[in-house]
Amino acid sequence: MEYRKLPHGSEKISVLGLGLGGIGKTPTSEIEAIIRKALDHGINFFDLCTAGATYAPLGRAIAGKREQVYLQMHFGAVYDENGEYGWCRDFDTIQKTFLWELETLGTDYADFGFLHCVDENEDFDKLVEIGVLDYLKELKEQGIVRHLGFSSHTPSVANRILDTGLMDMMMFSINPAYDFEKGDDYGIGSVKERFELFRRCAGEGVGISVMKPFFAGQLLSAEHSPFGQALSHSQCLQYAIDRPGVLTVLPGVQTMEHLDQVLKFLNATDEEKDYSVIGGFTADIISGTCVYCNHCQPCPAGIDIGLVNKYYDLAQAGDDIAANHYTKLSVKANACLQCGHCESRCPFGVKQMERMISIDGYFSAI
Ligand code: SF4
Ligand code: SF4
């Protein structure tokens, strides 16, 4: 398992986490077993926009391990008397739900306190007006919430929330269908807007946790995929993990079989994780744009082509940390032999030989 450090903290978060949204109807003994098995395989990050029934078995599974586990808890997700999820904008209900969640989990803090599912500007205004943002700030000062974050599907609203400068984590829906304008109502924003948002998060040290990596399963089936061709779980997970700013991807699991399927990613080969096939689906939209897939490897000069391109894009967007990471690479763009191998392999039509010259020029000048 790879772990990525939260830029505004010391937490080391597993790139593979779990979303527990659909697990509420699973027998509680199985929920507990799923969490235990996930922990045994190095997963340490769980999203808790879920159902009321999830909390007690999750609490039992993490008992004695609380400090090794990171919980993303949503202020605005509430549960009725049957434990059914509801989206809420009533302060008292939100507060009561959070206190109940802590008690049921057997903990006294949340690692991440989230403004839940904020897709419209008016909704962000409402959360501020009813005092949820102030409540989260108070909880952070008291150490009851360790980091602030939010979930959204809308780049423009996400940018507005990022403008507060208060956020450490953003939960966002990322998959090739949404990113390349072939998704549903949740796939909001152009390719450019979405990629700029991811780069902004990386530049400002706001981690991204990814929801909907499989586009609700549609990408896994040729019949339902908007591309007419199925991708595998591992391809979708690797795609999301490679986006700038992403710390963890949160596939939803409901059964042990689902977890086992997701865990196969940990032993998948590079070929099994290679998602460059999407170059053929998206040629009309992103031809010539490097998506950091590394399908063009091996480079005879030893350049990590995807990483060099990612650092370049981030540095150009103002990310000084990425620029600094570039300077530490043992093989940089100036090693390019102009052999053309990468261009012959790139499914996205990237003119990488020219780009290596530009990248070297850029970094030599700063
Ligand atoms: S140049 Fe093409 S194949 Fe290589 S990392 Fe970029 S998009 Fe992928
Ligand atoms: S053109 Fe440069 S970056 Fe591309 S494979 Fe050859 S040496 Fe590597």
Side-chain angles (χ1 to χ4, degrees), residues 290-296 306 346-348 350 352:
C290 183
V291 299
Y292 326 127
C293 67
N294 263 339
H295 184 72
C296 50
C346 177
F348 298 88
V350 178
Q352 197 57 253

Side-chain angles (χ1 to χ4, degrees), residues 40 43 56 63 93 124 132 141 166 172 181 197 203 205 252 256 259 263 300 333:
D40 287 346
I43 290 175
T93 310
F124 179 55
V132 175
E141 275 168 27
L166 296 168
F172 206 75
E181 303 172 23
L197 174 64
M256 193 62 86
L259 176 64
L263 288 174

Side-chain angles (χ1 to χ4, degrees), residues 98-335:
F98 176 61
L99 297 176
W100 173 85
E101 288 170 350
L102 289 184
E103 188 185 347
T104 310
L105 286 167
T107 186
D108 54 7
Y109 70 94
D111 301 277
F112 295 88
F114 265 40
L115 295 170
H116 172 61
C117 198
V118 196
D119 284 346
E120 294 176 354
N121 278 316
E122 297 72 25
D123 189 35
F124 179 55
D125 293 338
K126 177 86 178 170
L127 284 165
V128 174
E129 181 195 315
I130 66 172
V132 175
L133 184 60
D134 282 342
Y135 180 48
L136 274 166
K137 288 191 318 202
E138 274 167 39
L139 291 171
K140 188 174 177 192
E141 275 168 27
Q142 295 163 11
I144 297 170
V145 161
R146 295 193 170 171
H147 298 282
L148 303 190
F150 66 101
S151 57
S152 178
H153 301 88
T154 314
S156 58
V157 176
N159 276 311
R160 187 169 163 221
I161 300 173
L162 291 172
D163 287 343
T164 64
L166 296 168
M167 300 296 146
D168 299 326
M169 183 77 99
M170 171 180 84
M171 188 188 202
F172 206 75
S173 42
I174 299 179
N175 61 57
Y178 286 165
D179 286 351
F180 302 115
E181 303 172 23
K182 308 268 190 205
D184 57 15
D185 290 349
Y186 289 121
I188 301 166
S190 65
V191 179
K192 188 166 176 284
E193 269 178 298
R194 295 175 67 85
F195 281 37
E196 279 175 359
L197 174 64
F198 307 154
R199 285 197 284 265
R200 176 177 181 184
C201 286
E204 296 179 9
V206 176
I208 302 176
S209 57
V210 176
M211 56 179 155
K212 302 189 175 76
F214 309 133
F215 185 24
Q218 291 189 60
L219 286 172
L220 306 171
S221 133
E223 187 189 345
H224 296 110
S225 168
F227 303 121
Q229 191 175 327
L231 294 172
S232 68
H233 291 83
S234 292
Q235 286 172 311
C236 294
L237 293 170
Q238 190 63 51
Y239 172 82
I241 286 168
D242 283 348
R243 295 312 95 203
V246 168
L247 299 183
T248 185
V249 182
L250 308 170
V253 293
Q254 294 163 27
T255 64
M256 193 62 86
E257 287 71 35
H258 290 166
L259 176 64
D260 288 340
Q261 181 64 55
V262 162
L263 288 174
K264 285 183 188 164
F265 176 77
L266 299 178
N267 295 314
T269 63
D270 288 347
E271 287 71 31
E272 288 166 333
K273 293 190 277 196
D274 183 341
Y275 53 82
S276 57
V277 64
I278 66 171
F281 310 157
T282 59
D284 52 329
I285 302 172
I286 57 154
S287 181
T289 303
C290 183
V291 299
Y292 326 127
C293 67
N294 263 339
H295 184 72
C296 50
Q297 295 287 13
C299 163
I303 300 170
D304 185 332
I305 296 172
L307 196 59
V308 161
N309 277 269
K310 194 191 278 194
Y311 288 158
Y312 177 53
D313 287 342
L314 288 169
Q316 282 193 308
D319 184 343
D320 295 338
I321 295 172
N324 186 262
H325 285 329
Y326 178 85
T327 64
K328 299 209 165 72
L329 289 174
S330 57
V331 186
K332 303 185 180 66
N334 63 358

